[in-house]
Amino acid sequence: MKVLASLALAATAACGGGLQTPPPLASTALPDGSQLSPYDPAQPGQARPQGMAAAAGRVYITLSNQRDTANLPVNAGPGFLAALVPSTGQITKVDLGGSDGRQCQNPGVVRASADGKLYVSCSGDFSGADSARAIVEVDPATNKMTRRAAIPDGLVPNGVAVTATRIWTGDTGSSRIFSIDRASFTAAAAEPIPLDCPKTDKTGFTYTPDVIAAGSDIYALCASDIAGAIYRLDGATGAIKGQTAVGAGPTELTALDDGRIAVVNFLDNTLSLVTATASGALTSTTALTFSSQTSGLQDVRAVGHILFTVASGSNTAQRIDLDAQGGPRVVSEANFGAGAGPWNILPLDAVQAIVTNRGTNTVAAARWVDVK
């Protein structure tokens, strides 16, 4: 991914480790549920932040706005974006709920397009039947929701990959992907497109953890209770170009500057590096097995040859040098404390990074400690 050039103070070389952006605050509290238009003011939720994307000199954070119950969390109010200036803690709230407050609930992933717009996946109540599921477009110049695409019944959007003509997303409840036409902002009729992931015979399940755009293609993860795969598809048509196995339980992926794709795998605690061959086929290698003290890998981002990962189970983030002597290794780690629940990580340059903490409803700076 690109560094946040709009936040940069100086164009010092990333590989030199010099700071390129103003240092972020150690921790920034996100808006309390009472400030997020609760449906019942007597029962507000909490911010429960998830995804992050950079646009217009700010970091945009999805706030799922949920209230804990004895069973599963419930949506306590409309979805929001928090537009944050990391160095000052200034936050502008962007309400995604529309006129009735229910046009977007439980936003998860936000990604910026080449033309500067933001696109957010809204998962609703995960039933696949509610009307709060959507892909919404936000203009960071005005901090307003500008368009909304409803999701067909039986699908719950997860991930966002923006191409020239389509916005691709995956299904939380199955290994399928589908798209929204960027011109009409409606779901394509001839989809979803199935992906194949091995699963156990009787109790197994499959899902689509993430999709990203890379050049004119999209890459989609397919995951199950025992396995994982990555697919390369044409960004305009969805035609499958190649696929290969990755580690078990992949959660997120990111594109590197050299064309490779990095994937973190939750179930076997590994990092996969995927390469497209000249013929278009994909090959995958296990580049790194994380320490047994690292658990719950959730996110991965890249700046040059440096990868940043976050692990919610161990409440940690990792900084990985892909060019280290002897092969990729974790060179430093940050710990956010018990119960923090870090979910997403966003590098500000090749050293500095911030994470969203679902457990503490904060955005925190990674304070790196060298790993010997």
Side-chain angles (χ1 to χ4, degrees):
M1 63 166 287
K2 296 179 180 178
V3 288
L4 306 188
S6 57
L7 300 178
L9 286 180
T12 53
C15 60
L19 300 184
Q20 290 187 279
T21 58
L25 297 183
S27 182
T28 300
L30 291 164
D32 181 78
S34 63
Q35 302 171 290
L36 299 176
S37 303
Y39 299 137
D40 180 354
Q43 298 188 82
Q46 299 183 73
R48 295 293 187 241
Q50 299 194 94
M52 290 188 284
R58 296 179 291 272
V59 175
Y60 284 80
I61 303 154
T62 58
L63 306 183
S64 52
N65 196 9
Q66 294 179 320
R67 184 178 74 252
D68 295 333
T69 70
N71 297 312
L72 296 174
V74 299
N75 297 319
F80 274 81
L81 289 176
L84 169 70
V85 179
S87 60
T88 67
Q90 178 185 352
I91 292 176
T92 301
K93 294 181 295 182
V94 182
D95 191 335
L96 305 178
S99 58
D100 64 356
R102 299 177 185 272
Q103 294 182 31
C104 168
Q105 291 178 335
N106 191 17
V109 174
V110 55
R111 292 204 167 111
S113 64
D115 61 3
K117 296 293 179 63
L118 292 164
Y119 294 93
V120 183
S121 62
C122 308
S123 298
D125 63 9
F126 290 113
S127 68
D130 61 304
S131 61
R133 294 165 298 124
I135 297 291
V136 298
E137 178 186 80
V138 172
D139 184 353
T142 61
N143 282 327
K144 299 292 185 183
M145 184 173 72
T146 49
R147 292 194 293 175
R148 177 187 186 274
I151 302 301
D153 285 346
L155 298 169
V156 178
N158 194 29
V160 176
V162 185
T163 67
T165 58
R166 299 199 193 191
I167 302 160
W168 292 90
T169 186
D171 180 28
T172 299
S174 71
S175 53
R176 298 180 292 175
I177 64 167
F178 58 103
S179 70
I180 305 299
D181 180 85
R182 288 190 72 181
S184 65
F185 227 64
T186 57
E191 294 168 5
I193 298 168
L195 309 176
D196 183 35
C197 264
K199 63 178 183 176
T200 54
D201 292 337
K202 295 182 179 180
T203 60
F205 55 89
T206 62
Y207 59 102
T208 311
D210 198 16
V211 293
I212 63 167
S216 60
D217 292 328
I218 61 168
Y219 288 84
L221 289 179
C222 162
S224 76
D225 60 321
I226 58 171
I230 184 171
Y231 280 75
R232 181 188 183 193
L233 305 98
D234 185 277
T237 67
I240 295 174
K241 293 184 173 183
Q243 62 93 19
T244 189
V246 291
T251 52
E252 296 286 341
L253 71 169
T254 193
L256 306 182
D257 292 344
D258 60 12
R260 291 180 297 173
I261 304 295
V263 180
V264 286
N265 306 298
F266 184 96
L267 292 179
D268 62 12
N269 212 32
T270 61
L271 169 73
S272 300
L273 289 178
V274 179
T275 302
T277 66
S279 64
L282 299 180
T283 61
S284 174
T285 61
T286 300
L288 178 67
T289 298
F290 289 83
S291 162
S292 60
Q293 301 303 309
T294 302
S295 65
L297 291 165
Q298 291 291 351
D299 194 23
V300 59
R301 307 286 183 107
V303 176
H305 63 93
I306 301 296
L307 284 182
F308 297 81
T309 59
V310 69
S312 61
S314 53
N315 298 299
T316 57
Q318 296 73 36
R319 187 170 174 269
I320 299 163
D321 186 350
L322 293 176
D323 293 343
Q325 187 175 4
R329 68 179 182 90
V330 175
V331 294
S332 53
E333 190 167 51
N335 192 303
F336 301 95
W343 197 259
N344 233 219
I345 188 163
L346 185 69
L348 305 180
D349 52 39
V351 176
Q352 300 183 112
I354 56 176
V355 303
T356 52
N357 286 322
R358 278 184 60 83
T360 55
N361 299 295
T362 59
V363 174
R367 299 306 187 209
W368 302 114
V369 176
D370 289 348
V371 174
K372 303 300 182 183

